[in-house]
Amino acid sequence: MPARTHFRTHPATTGGVDMRLPWWALALPALAFGTLFLLILKPSDAHAASADPAIAHLVERAQQLLRH
């Protein structure tokens, strides 16, 4: 016995959900790609960053706050 076919009585909507990305959702990946691309072109400019004691102290403090 064949299955019955159901027809739509109203046409399908053509308008979908209006989704817009924030500006940084495109800018940050593009900036990261550009930075990595420049490092590939000039690997002599890529050197290890020196550890700044203020930043190390800030990270340590944040870890202590997250543990509590």
Side-chain angles (χ1 to χ4, degrees), residues 12-52:
T13 58
T14 57
V17 176
D18 186 23
M19 292 180 52
R20 298 183 68 187
L21 291 174
W23 64 270
W24 51 265
L26 295 174
L28 289 180
L31 180 66
F33 176 79
T35 303
L36 291 174
F37 186 70
L38 288 175
L39 287 176
I40 290 172
L41 290 178
K42 292 185 174 185
S44 63
D45 290 343
H47 51 77
S50 62
D52 187 14

Side-chain angles (χ1 to χ4, degrees), residues 4-8:
R4 299 180 94 186
T5 309
H6 297 285
F7 295 102
R8 293 183 184 189

